[in-house]
Amino acid sequence: MAENNPGSEIRNAMFRRMKLNKSMQRFSTLDVQEIWNSNQQLERFMSFAFGPVEPEIIEFARENLLNTLSTLVISQFPNWQVFWDIWVRTRDTFPDRTDEKLPFWDWDELLSLLGAEWAMAFRNHHKVFTAIVVVEGQEHEGYERTPPYTGKSTVIGVGQRREVLKNVIMRGHLKLKDHDGNLREEIGNRVVAIRQFGPIEEDKVAFLRVLRKDPGVREHFATYLSMIWNHEASDMVDILYPFADVDLHKFLREDEYQQHRLGRIDGLVRQIQHVAEALAFLHENLWNREDFESTQYVRFGSCHLDLKPKNILVFGLQENTVGDWKLSDFAVSKVLRLKERNISGLNGEHKHGSVIRSVWPDMDANRYQAPEIERKKMGGGGRESDIWSLGCICVEAIAAGLGLGMDLENMITAESNGQMSENDYFYHLRTIGSSKVNLKIDALKPRVRDWVKSDFSGGEGNNSQRRQWILHQTRTLVLSMLKPRKRSRPTADRVASRLRSILQRAGDGNEPSA
């Protein structure tokens, strides 16, 4: 093309954008629109290539063919009369010859219309302009289309199964739902977190679908925005999540977040209540079809089995707030059908409830795991194991709110006799019995136990009668959650209900009597 050819100007404009943004791998819909609409580039191009063109044809091209035109321009396609014959003159005869069809052109059809050289160039370049537009709640097939990321993903963490990635969705390629369920287009770039699963992990993907299906869970769960199936990468699926401000592990430890947590016992306990509510839903209230052919929905239960601060995400951090905590990372979670039956109460009475068989999670050992998981005792892990983990997190959160995070670390890592503990778990083996018969049992580490029993004494922000009352009331509940015998622990629903009651009784500004 000659230098005064508007097609050259458009191609140069594309290269300038790529030069300014060196990480740019593809053009967003908004990029393409801005290039073609700048200085009436589309009108000038159409006039140069075809002579006088009716305004309605220009508008048709603007609405339906900008990506197709861009693909041909960047390929330096020479015969614009062929473009006119294929895409414009026959638009009524072949209405699907638009940008929507661009990623899916059949090779034989392209070959017959453009010839071998330009059909290959067309196939090589069209992906630069055909990134997926992600719609919240939908799953997107990646056949012949590219993910809408601005560059390469970076690793931000490692989960039980795979790395957690970070990337940015191009502006104009994400549509989110507002509070009324209406879709709105994100104008700017949007940072997202990405978890990837392979084809052999379909059960995990299915579980995430079930979890997202119920709108009632989204308040306390980090549910995914969308899924993108990448068929060029061994059928891997990218699961896109909102990007959190921080995970709870960092929030409770790093100085950067001290102003958000120090002295905010009420808010911290409230967020623990929210996590307990999420667990209660997870344990008792999942509904799904029993199999793909069934039309009947049945109630399922699930155990998280890897509950720890790194798997709780903090969103909405604003000045002097603890943010909103959401449960995430269900890579080792188990979903099992609940069975209703009468079960014995602690005092011999019978009550109606649901049971779920114990399981052995495929996970690495960590300080928040329940004794029955590491010791492989009492039938394995289950819902009660999540309660132990939540109890550990509650102790850490209160310690952080009182400015006693390092003190708690010392309580966990040092035994009462002054020697270092063999691990940083919340429990240890305690020896009981006579000198002739020794029995080793799991028990909460004594220094941690004694601190909790003392109403979490010491620290900052513990000087108001109201906060002291909240801590006093929370103490008994936490100790019940950290009982070594798993069947003695309360249910998640009971934990949530008790914390809700404590905060309601404390009221807003009232000073209850100790």
Side-chain angles (χ1 to χ4, degrees), residues 284-393:
E284 297 277 356
N285 291 297
L286 294 177
W287 289 84
N288 195 30
R289 289 179 299 175
E290 191 164 15
D291 54 57
F292 289 111
E293 298 180 357
S294 174
T295 58
Q296 298 295 320
Y297 280 74
V298 295
R299 192 160 67 97
F300 285 79
S302 178
C303 318
H304 190 285
L305 295 177
D306 192 24
L307 187 60
K308 56 189 177 186
K310 287 185 178 181
N311 289 339
I312 297 174
L313 303 180
V314 182
F315 293 84
L317 271 183
Q318 299 175 356
E319 186 177 0
N320 300 329
T321 69
V322 298
D324 296 316
W325 300 1
K326 296 180 184 291
L327 195 56
S328 72
D329 197 343
F330 305 94
V332 300
S333 299
K334 303 296 182 183
V335 182
L336 300 164
R337 183 169 179 175
L338 292 175
K339 296 180 179 180
E340 301 292 340
R341 72 179 188 187
N342 290 323
I343 54 179
S344 297
L346 294 178
N347 298 318
E349 78 278 9
H350 288 277
K351 56 184 179 179
H352 192 65
S354 60
V355 296
I356 185 171
R357 68 177 176 85
S358 297
V359 293
W360 297 113
D362 179 17
M363 57 180 283
D364 298 329
N366 66 78
R367 75 185 305 173
Y368 307 96
Q369 67 187 9
E372 61 268 15
I373 292 180
E374 198 235 352
R375 308 289 192 210
K376 291 186 168 30
K377 294 159 112 181
M378 297 178 282
R383 292 177 292 188
E384 303 91 345
S385 307
D386 288 343
I387 300 302
W388 172 279
S389 300
L390 183 60
C392 299
I393 293 169

Side-chain angles (χ1 to χ4, degrees), residues 83-94:
F83 166 81
W84 183 274
D85 292 339
I86 296 173
W87 278 279
V88 179
R89 184 173 57 81
T90 60
R91 64 187 183 279
D92 294 329
T93 307
F94 300 101

Side-chain angles (χ1 to χ4, degrees), residues 12 33 47 82 139 161 173 200 213 252 265 300 311 344 372 377-378 383 405 461 467 478 494 496 508:
N12 290 336
Q33 291 173 353
S47 177
V82 171
E139 298 184 20
R161 288 286 181 265
H173 282 257
I200 64 172
K213 192 182 310 180
L252 296 178
I265 300 302
F300 285 79
N311 289 339
S344 297
E372 61 268 15
K377 294 159 112 181
M378 297 178 282
R383 292 177 292 188
R467 287 177 182 163
V478 170
R494 171 62 179 161
D508 297 321

Side-chain angles (χ1 to χ4, degrees), residues 364-371 373-375 388 392 408-409 411-415 421-429 442-445 448:
D364 298 329
N366 66 78
R367 75 185 305 173
Y368 307 96
Q369 67 187 9
I373 292 180
E374 198 235 352
R375 308 289 192 210
W388 172 279
C392 299
L408 177 62
E409 289 297 316
M411 297 177 205
I412 294 173
T413 56
E415 298 287 359
S421 175
E422 62 181 12
N423 56 48
D424 65 347
Y425 300 166
F426 276 75
Y427 62 88
H428 69 162
L429 278 176
D442 292 312
L444 184 63
K445 286 183 175 175
V448 177

